[in-house]
Amino acid sequence: MRRLLTGTLVVGGLLLVVCLMAVNGQAKVVDEPTSAMQDITTNFEQRTIGRVPWPITHIAANYVRDGHMTHKTSRVKITLGKGVVHSPNGKGFYNLWDLVLNRQGKEYGATFLAYNINNRVWRPHRTDTIKTHGIKAGQPVWIGNKSSTNASSNPIRTLPAYMVTKQYCQMVSQIKLSPHITGFEANKRIITGTGTQGGDLITAKFGNQIKKTRVDHEGRWQMKCFSGNGHLMVTETNAYDDIPGHTETVINNGTPRTDATIKLNLFLTNGHTFSTAKGRKVLVTGMILGTDQNDFDRDVVLKNNALTIHFAHADGTPIANYKANGSVNEPDKAGYFHLKLPTESLKQGPNDVKVWVSDQHGQRSNIDTLTVDCKFNPNFWTNWSA
């Protein structure tokens, strides 16, 4: 079921005025991993490297997300089924470690097995739990074996030669976090939003002010709104080494706003009726006022480089498009324009010309109409025919 949030909604990026947005009643959220051990055997790829095949039948871990270990995983349980393990170099091997390796062979954790001293064959059938540390999100992790081999009659006192194998591999889970600001309750001055995973930390920075909250199990968060005017940055992070996410907005008088839904109002300031010789240009001046209807019709300052003035024939055929360029006396004045409309494509006599404004979001203002009476200009036609 969809519902309409009334108040301020922000989509992301630098935004300037208030809007309304329909959102799903239930936010999409990733459940936070737990300490419970979960079977993740099917999410490992077998890529045996080395000459020692190990009869691994089950792999389980804690803090699992979508069948994969995470940066927070601290225990991995490995079950060895019935099988035969041969010495990797034909010599007797006297101890073994089940362990977790990265691509470079770094040990994340190990379990010492004082078995099979100086034998060349071992028939394991056991389960061992490894305590891990330093697993990196977004990196491959291998489950393999490290065996110490030595033909000495007293191998414990002899420097052993180590053999390392890598057998099962998976990527440690890492996701891109994506926080959103979704609403503003004007009467309570509360900003609401959504996060990516339950339990994630939401940090809002407004100037020197910082506020923090957590994403709940439904994927939502809220906090008291900052007062004053300025730039608000919201960041989502967590303990799983996921890629932090950001969204931002501008707050005016405590109200987040987005320029994606403002109303553009076009006003012509030098009249609607013009008479000119065909071929000459007509000076058209005007102003564009932006208003935020969801914020008590508050005026919004509009930048000229974001505004395009359109001129078209009565049937909609384009004549010319220009960027706003300020007033005649103040070339940089925001929201104003003074433009010379070409008349080459107009017919002799009265012409209705449509005028409107659009912004970078594709929004359009009201359409106004000019009447341009084009009279015959002998000099123009003489020059044109020549």
Side-chain angles (χ1 to χ4, degrees):
M1 180 177 181
R2 293 174 67 84
R3 63 189 177 88
L4 188 67
L5 278 181
T6 58
T8 300
L9 304 179
V10 179
V11 182
L14 187 58
L15 308 172
L16 296 174
V17 293
V18 179
C19 68
L20 297 177
M21 180 182 295
V23 298
N24 291 326
Q26 180 67 32
K28 182 179 180 181
V29 62
V30 177
D31 291 331
E32 183 177 13
T34 69
S35 60
M37 299 294 286
Q38 297 184 40
D39 192 309
I40 56 176
T41 310
T42 58
N43 290 293
F44 273 84
E45 179 182 354
Q46 185 169 4
R47 304 183 193 172
T48 301
I49 298 176
R51 293 176 294 166
V52 182
W54 291 88
I56 297 177
T57 57
H58 292 92
I59 304 169
N62 62 355
Y63 294 103
V64 169
R65 182 171 59 200
D66 194 26
H68 289 254
M69 290 184 285
T70 66
H71 175 65
K72 200 173 178 180
T73 296
S74 59
R75 290 186 300 148
V76 178
K77 183 185 293 185
I78 302 171
T79 299
L80 300 175
K82 293 181 179 180
V84 178
V85 179
H86 295 271
S87 169
N89 62 357
K91 299 179 181 180
F93 55 118
Y94 67 90
N95 53 32
L96 301 168
W97 286 267
D98 293 328
L99 47 81
V100 178
L101 308 158
N102 66 5
R103 185 174 293 166
Q104 288 74 36
K106 177 182 176 181
E107 301 177 23
Y108 287 130
T111 298
F112 178 74
L113 305 178
Y115 290 98
N116 203 52
I117 296 177
N118 270 341
N119 289 322
R120 293 181 177 85
V121 176
W122 184 45
R123 290 177 172 83
H125 188 195
R126 58 182 293 111
T127 296
D128 291 286
T129 299
I130 300 170
K131 293 183 179 180
T132 65
H133 54 84
I135 291 179
K136 300 295 184 181
Q139 299 295 317
V141 163
W142 295 83
I143 291 180
N145 169 266
K146 184 177 182 181
S147 60
S148 176
T149 62
N150 196 291
S152 170
S153 60
N154 192 356
I156 300 296
R157 296 182 180 180
T158 304
L159 182 66
Y162 290 107
M163 291 283 188
V164 176
T165 66
K166 301 177 182 180
Q167 187 166 358
Y168 287 84
C169 177
Q170 78 162 199
M171 297 296 292
V172 180
S173 176
Q174 185 178 53
I175 59 177
K176 175 69 170 69
L177 305 180
S178 181
H180 295 279
I181 301 171
T182 59
F184 174 72
E185 297 182 42
N187 57 333
K188 298 180 181 179
R189 291 291 179 185
I190 293 177
I191 293 179
T192 58
T194 60
T196 311
Q197 177 177 272
D200 283 0
L201 178 65
I202 298 294
T203 302
K205 185 176 181 181
F206 185 72
N208 295 324
Q209 305 175 64
I210 295 178
K211 293 183 180 181
K212 297 183 179 182
T213 188
R214 294 279 178 180
V215 179
D216 66 20
H217 68 280
E218 292 184 342
R220 306 182 190 282
W221 57 266
Q222 71 173 33
M223 64 176 60
K224 282 287 187 180
C225 185
F226 297 93
S227 60
N229 305 324
H231 179 264
L232 172 67
M233 171 67 77
V234 172
T235 302
E236 181 178 3
T237 56
N238 59 28
Y240 300 89
D241 200 27
D242 289 322
I243 301 171
H246 309 277
T247 188
E248 55 188 286
T249 187
V250 169
I251 292 182
N252 291 311
N253 296 323
T255 305
R257 316 173 70 174
T258 169
D259 59 2
T261 57
I262 64 172
K263 182 179 179 182
L264 299 176
N265 304 282
L266 170 67
F267 301 94
L268 299 176
T269 57
N270 66 332
H272 290 75
T273 303
F274 301 89
S275 180
T276 185
K278 184 174 175 62
R280 293 183 178 176
K281 295 182 178 180
V282 174
L283 178 65
V284 180
T285 65
M287 62 176 291
I288 305 104
L289 176 65
T291 57
D292 180 359
Q293 291 186 311
N294 298 320
D295 193 18
F296 310 106
D297 286 329
R298 181 183 296 171
D299 292 346
V300 179
V301 176
L302 301 171
K303 296 182 179 180
N304 289 344
N305 60 7
L307 301 171
T308 302
I309 295 87
H310 303 263
F311 295 95
H313 293 279
D315 62 1
T317 304
I319 298 175
N321 298 329
Y322 300 99
K323 289 292 184 182
N325 60 351
S327 67
V328 176
N329 298 320
E330 298 176 272
D332 298 322
K333 189 169 184 180
Y336 282 74
F337 64 89
H338 65 287
L339 301 168
K340 292 183 179 180
L341 171 68
T343 59
E344 285 83 355
S345 65
L346 301 183
K347 63 178 178 152
Q348 292 285 337
N351 294 263
D352 289 334
V353 177
K354 293 182 178 180
V355 187
W356 71 92
V357 178
S358 65
D359 64 12
Q360 74 271 36
H361 300 287
Q363 297 173 123
R364 292 171 50 139
S365 71
N366 56 297
I367 298 177
D368 211 336
T369 302
L370 301 176
T371 299
V372 181
D373 186 8
C374 286
K375 300 183 181 300
F376 180 70
N377 181 351
N379 293 332
F380 168 80
W381 287 110
T382 299
N383 295 334
W384 178 80
S385 61

